[in-house]
Amino acid sequence: MDWRNRPAIKGCHGGVVAASFVLVVEILENLAYLANASNLVIYLSKFMHFSPSASANIVTNFMGTAFLLALLGGFLSDAFFTTYCIYLTSAIIEFTGLLILTVQARIPSLRPPICTSVNRNIACEEVDDGQAAMLFSGLYLVALGVGGIKGSLPPHGAEQFDEHQPQGRKHRSSFFNYYIFCLSCGALIAVTLVVWVEDNKGWQWGFGISTIAILTSIVIFLLGSETYRIKVPTGSPITTIFKVAAAAICNSLHPRNSTNSAVEIRTNPSSTTESSEEEGHEKGKAETETKSEDMKFISKARANKATYPSLYCTLKQVQEVKIVIKILPIFVSTVMLNCCLAQLSTFSVQQAATMNTNIGALKVPPASLPVFPVIFIMILAPIYNHIIIPFARKVSKNEMGITHLQRIGTGLVLSIIAMAVAALVEMKRKRVAMQSGLMNSTEPLPITFLWVALQYLFLGSADLFSLAGLMEFFFTEAPYSMRSLATSFSWASLAMGYYLSSVLVSLVNSITGSFEQTPWLSGSNLNHYHLERFYWLMCILSGLNFLHYLLWATRYKYRSMEPDQQRDQDNTTWTEA
């Protein structure tokens, strides 16, 4: 349908023009979000006077919540509202949260008094309850808005292309690559211009720029309304999952009334026919899937005579749940990678803040470090889309060229390297601090912050490969009725990574504090942390996670491959006839 709930017209709705509005909106949306997220740890520690570890945990919890709420945005888009409505509602919520943060940063009485101590070991006065309430209400309104946007905007853009045509599928693949490119464009502006404004002109101006950016994105999104085609909600995918699970359990307890779905298909041809419109998108895929007899327990949900009529499940519903179960191990395997990415917004920024951030006569804010991977992504994304992928398609004779799982695996390997590099850099930074006698001083260390940029470069590259690969993998492999929710798994993986980072910090402090005088990551002085040991731990965990990923990735069979190829052959045969 179009935005006025009328039938969409091919050639008038959807396509590159409609997707272009989405890409421009993503630049502004990510600018508004990342301008604060990338520098938030500095704001919390220097202006709100939280300790380094507390600031890091607040940031990871905030970002984790924002990305986890993408599941809510995706669910509502699939079940009750459209991606169009969810984006607009979420953008207004984020605008409200940013307005609260801007007011707090503008009025001194809403923040704790300025700390003038030059000794890192002396803690400053923290925020009171009222100030903290205002801070966290603003932050989590932003998180709610960001979650809704992340859960609705990527599928809204991908839905503009016709997946039943090879050219449409190629454009959709390009969309996900350029979505990451535009995400990086917003990040570039955020970590350079806006971060500089926050550090030199005041946080009220930084929050203000973010507020204006999200407001502008709403206007631009509305301007594209006439060009959009919008998927009609088809009911709750969560309900389908629970219904199939309940039916499988009940039919397992009454085996006389149930039969294997694969047998039923051979004996009852009418069971393969569904009347809903979205079934047309799944018919060929479902028929291919049901030839196998995997997941026999889930297959029991499909019965000739259901134990309870209210738990009757169609073939399509059973197959949808099987598909979701098959992609879950890939989702779990990417959580550790995103735990590594969480360090870009926390300890890495605090490391850089203790170092010499001058490049010639220019003083660079520590939170501008992500500019290095961002520029690299902006250069690599077009090269990947226009050179690497076409070449890979010619060599492999495959429509995808490089598979989604290969891209994700590349990101996992790069995250392992990044953590090893981060550990080595931290060892060098602490050695310089000790040799210079600046362990307890607020003076910048005589070592350039560009050393920290090395880990940013590897983690940024990992993000390019993994995030675009994950989003396209979940969108193309997921059932038609669950695409927004499935695409949100990409952001949920980021959320789980941020939460895991917070859990690891707390767990490491708890364990190390029991047999050492001070925990590895405790106190107000980063120079006394054993951050290098924490990075080595993450390097080892990332290596084990990669082995776990290989176990599932090598066994995974793309459900989207054969049906698309078969459809292309059918189209060719029809044309020749």
Side-chain angles (χ1 to χ4, degrees), residues 454-468:
L454 292 175
Q455 62 213 54
Y456 274 77
L457 188 62
F458 283 107
L459 284 174
S461 304
D463 194 22
L464 169 65
F465 282 98
S466 62
L467 185 55

Side-chain angles (χ1 to χ4, degrees), residues 174-190:
S174 297
F175 166 79
F176 282 113
N177 288 329
Y178 276 102
Y179 181 86
I180 302 302
F181 175 82
C182 290
L183 185 146
S184 300
C185 288
L188 180 64
I189 301 172

Side-chain angles (χ1 to χ4, degrees), residues 460-504:
S461 304
D463 194 22
L464 169 65
F465 282 98
S466 62
L467 185 55
L470 266 178
M471 293 177 68
E472 189 175 358
F473 172 74
F474 288 136
F475 187 89
T476 57
E477 295 296 298
Y480 180 77
S481 61
M482 300 183 185
R483 282 185 165 175
S484 296
L485 179 63
T487 307
S488 301
F489 282 175
S490 307
W491 306 111
S493 175
L494 276 168
M496 301 307 292
Y498 281 105
Y499 284 135
L500 180 59
S501 177
S502 295
V503 170
L504 279 177

Side-chain angles (χ1 to χ4, degrees), residues 267-326:
T267 59
N268 184 11
S270 64
S271 66
T272 61
T273 304
E274 303 293 342
S275 59
S276 60
E277 179 183 351
E278 62 270 18
E279 176 73 5
H281 294 268
E282 297 295 321
K283 184 177 179 181
K285 298 177 183 180
E287 290 174 349
T288 301
E289 288 284 333
T290 53
K291 292 178 182 178
S292 64
E293 296 187 8
D294 57 346
M295 299 190 192
K296 293 183 178 181
F297 175 76
I298 299 298
S299 297
K300 292 179 180 179
R302 180 73 173 150
N304 281 334
K305 184 179 180 182
T307 305
Y308 300 100
S310 60
L311 292 180
Y312 173 77
C313 299
T314 65
L315 168 65
K316 173 176 175 290
Q317 290 173 328
V318 174
Q319 292 304 325
E320 285 179 346
V321 174
K322 285 186 177 183
I323 293 163
V324 171
I325 292 174
K326 286 180 179 179

